[in-house]
Amino acid sequence: MPKLRTIDDVVSLQLCTGCGACAYVEPERYEMIDDPRLGRRPIAFAEGAPSSGQAMEVCPGHRLEHDFDEDDPMMLRELRPEWGPVIAVWEGHAADQEIRWAGSSGGAATALALYSLEREALHGVLHIDKDPQRPSLNRTVLSTSGEQLMRATGSRYAPASPCDRLDLIEDAPGKCVFIGKPCDVAAVQAARRIRPRLHDNLGPVIAFFCAGTPSTQGTLDLLARVGVTDPESVTELRYRGNGWPGRWTVRFNGADGEEESSLSYEESWGFLQSYRQWRCYICPDHTGEFADVAVGDPWYRDPQPGEQGKSLILARTQAGLDLVRGAEQAGYLVLERAGPDIVPSSQPNLLKTRGRLWGQLVTLRSLGVATPTYKGMPSFRTWLINLGWSEKVRSIGGTIRRVIRRRLRHRITAVPMDEPDA
Ligand SMILES: Cc1cc2nc3c(=O)[nH]c(=O)nc-3n(C[C@H](O)[C@H](O)[C@H](O)COP(=O)(O)OP(=O)(O)OC[C@H]3O[C@@H](n4cnc5c(N)ncnc54)[C@H](O)[C@@H]3O)c2cc1C
Ligand code: SF4
Ligand code: SF4
């Protein structure tokens, strides 16, 4: 089985999540580019500095290690094996109606960030927004106002690297919030161990649940499907929000001036999910186990027409619990306490995905395909209990097919957008 020794190994063997942490810790060596087929990927500068090794230390693509206190009496024991450390669960939403409406589910992530800025005197929020020049792409921003936070509401089902600008937190005049996918959050927590200034300036870390990141090619093909063949003509692109779950909506300059086209959440995600990067298929953490607070969709019930939305909210640490309670007391969040069983009933797909992991890893290793190292994230019990025998067999068959179709035994090269394929 190929060994994962360098960032180039992680990228070329398709284990990169696209978080951007390597470009933050070794900026003289790596920059992030957007490969439309793969996602955001680091490439080494031609005349770059030699690697310090820090990039591999923080990279979640090749290694995830959980070291939470399993005996913590506050932890909900029934959730620990499949969902990691959880102290409390709620269904809730932003108290502000505009945030609630604009947010992906109930605007909880944005409401927590706004509370941190306005009431806890934090300096900023490092997260993702659309690129104003090319709204089909994303960029990392440090928002310092409610207006900026509002602009970035809603999940973007496209590559994003919020860790590539962790320097903005490091250099900020005060503490900052971080919002990102579970793999982004794992990278931040690894990076704070080796970067004391980041550690000192890092406030609450918020993750959202994540089934996987589709490539930019997915967005381009979806645009083409609704008749937008020139991505440069796009003036606005939302994947979610403006109601729950909200519609995928594009505005673009057409033959008759600005036009709009939209698809339901089911249509757009149904299309985009087949473009997910390989690493997402063998991801052990779809629910932000390394975060202080994790938010997701309460899919245990069907959205009603015109529904404003609610978020599923998990406090994972004492700091997360304090944040959620503080936001509620200050009138930023409206909460209803929920039982632990709301988590598996809201996310049956993520439970199955975690259940497939053990069999997938064994299959990949036996075929000589590179796999990440996961510690403190057991998967055998979940595989045994949560998958029927036919699902186990299908999952192994699907893994073998993907090894062939995605050429997982061969190395690939990331190619920046707008440049001819190698
Ligand atoms: C790729 C992807 C897959 C997801 N899969 C699931 C799933 O399987 N199950 C589930 O319950 N929920 C999933 N979600 C999360 C869900 O869509 C909501 O984001 C979540 O419920 C939080 O909603 P909210 O209203 O609190 O967030 P909001 O208040 O709308 O805030 C969203 C925040 O997320 C940040 N953000 C948006 N897109 C990205 C991105 N691509 N990378 C990093 N940061 C980003 C924004 O900057 C913003 O700060 C997924 C989201 C994404 C982006
Ligand atoms: S997973 Fe993150 S740190 Fe690792 S190679 Fe990819 S972008 Fe860099
Ligand atoms: S599925 Fe896992 S690896 Fe993929 S983007 Fe989401 S958190 Fe990252």
Side-chain angles (χ1 to χ4, degrees):
M1 197 169 62
K3 288 262 182 294
L4 295 163
R5 292 199 178 88
T6 65
I7 290 294
D8 181 54
D9 292 337
V10 176
V11 174
S12 63
L13 295 166
Q14 302 192 51
L15 294 177
C16 176
T17 70
C19 72
C22 49
Y24 153 66
V25 291
E26 296 191 38
E28 297 83 18
R29 183 166 172 80
Y30 300 110
E31 67 169 334
M32 298 302 290
I33 56 109
D34 203 308
D35 180 319
R37 299 162 309 151
L38 301 176
R40 289 183 59 78
R41 295 290 179 266
I43 52 170
F45 292 111
E47 305 290 325
S51 176
S52 64
Q54 287 202 338
M56 281 301 269
E57 272 186 67
V58 301
C59 173
H62 84 99
R63 184 183 176 86
L64 286 179
E65 189 163 351
H66 230 329
D67 57 0
F68 64 92
D69 176 9
E70 300 227 3
D71 299 322
D72 183 345
M74 287 177 72
M75 212 179 289
L76 297 172
R77 301 189 75 79
E78 53 274 67
L79 292 181
R80 201 180 54 193
E82 282 89 21
W83 311 93
V86 180
I87 296 177
V89 183
W90 302 266
E91 203 176 339
H93 60 83
D96 181 295
Q97 291 305 307
E98 273 185 54
I99 296 177
R100 183 181 182 187
W101 180 252
S104 239
S105 43
T110 303
L112 288 167
L114 187 65
Y115 162 74
S116 303
L117 289 188
E118 293 185 343
R119 296 300 183 89
E120 296 288 324
L122 266 71
H123 171 73
V125 180
L126 193 76
H127 63 152
I128 288 301
D129 195 1
K130 64 190 115 9
D131 182 335
Q133 309 304 324
R134 300 176 82 179
S136 49
L137 301 178
N138 297 322
R139 61 170 189 162
T140 307
V141 291
L142 185 72
S143 292
T144 53
S145 69
E147 201 183 313
Q148 288 172 311
L149 287 176
M150 270 298 282
R151 272 207 294 272
T153 49
S155 300
R156 302 193 64 77
Y157 292 108
S161 308
C163 298
D164 60 3
R165 294 309 313 273
L166 284 172
D167 60 299
L168 294 174
I169 296 187
E170 214 174 63
D171 297 338
K175 281 187 182 286
C176 298
V177 179
F178 179 87
I179 305 178
K181 300 177 290 296
C183 53
D184 303 327
V185 162
V188 171
Q189 302 290 20
R192 78 188 304 172
R193 293 199 182 123
I194 58 168
R195 299 293 281 250
R197 277 173 52 211
L198 174 69
H199 176 75
D200 291 346
N201 261 359
L202 195 57
V205 175
I206 302 172
F208 48 82
F209 294 6
C210 175
T213 293
S215 66
T216 301
Q217 194 61 51
T219 292
L220 298 177
D221 288 352
L222 193 53
L223 286 170
R225 196 175 172 210
V226 298
V228 183
T229 48
D230 177 11
E232 301 299 324
S233 68
V234 174
T235 54
E236 167 71 321
L237 178 57
R238 276 188 81 97
Y239 295 77
R240 287 272 308 259
N242 293 337
W244 184 56
R247 294 178 69 82
W248 181 88
T249 307
V250 57
R251 281 211 212 106
F252 59 101
N253 291 316
D256 305 318
E258 195 172 53
E259 297 176 33
E260 184 175 298
S261 188
S262 86
L263 296 169
S264 70
Y265 167 74
E266 291 75 15
E267 288 169 316
S268 58
W269 176 246
F271 183 89
L272 288 170
Q273 62 173 329
S274 64
Y275 290 84
R276 281 173 297 166
Q277 58 191 352
W278 164 244
R279 174 62 172 70
C280 299
Y281 286 84
I282 50 167
C283 175
D285 176 14
H286 292 271
T287 58
E289 295 188 20
F290 294 83
D292 293 310
V293 176
V295 289
D297 288 294
W299 290 129
Y300 72 91
R301 59 187 177 82
D302 290 330
Q304 300 304 306
E307 176 158 353
Q308 292 200 304
K310 286 185 182 173
S311 304
L312 190 62
I313 305 169
L314 274 53
R316 290 189 172 279
T317 62
Q318 182 64 50
L321 191 62
D322 294 344
L323 175 68
V324 174
R325 284 196 177 139
E328 183 191 28
Q329 277 158 21
Y332 283 73
L333 266 187
V334 176
L335 298 176
E336 290 159 38
R337 195 66 182 254
D341 51 333
I342 195 178
V343 181
S345 59
S346 289
Q347 304 291 333
N349 292 344
L350 296 187
L351 189 59
K352 291 280 180 204
T353 307
R354 175 91 175 227
R356 284 191 282 268
L357 186 61
W358 185 83
Q360 286 174 312
L361 293 177
V362 169
T363 308
L364 291 167
R365 284 168 192 152
S366 66
L367 293 173
V369 175
T371 55
T373 303
Y374 300 136
K375 291 206 167 152
M377 312 180 95
S379 54
F380 180 65
R381 178 185 174 275
T382 316
W383 181 78
L384 211 56
I385 293 174
N386 292 303
L387 283 193
W389 281 106
S390 65
E391 288 174 306
K392 288 183 175 76
V393 171
R394 270 207 310 279
S395 152
I396 290 170
T399 305
I400 295 169
R401 274 198 303 281
R402 285 196 184 94
V403 169
I404 298 163
R405 205 180 308 137
R406 290 183 179 246
R407 296 176 56 77
L408 296 177
R409 285 150 58 103
H410 301 86
R411 288 180 185 260
I412 55 158
T413 306
V415 181
M417 211 159 177
D418 297 332
E419 285 187 21
D421 236 319

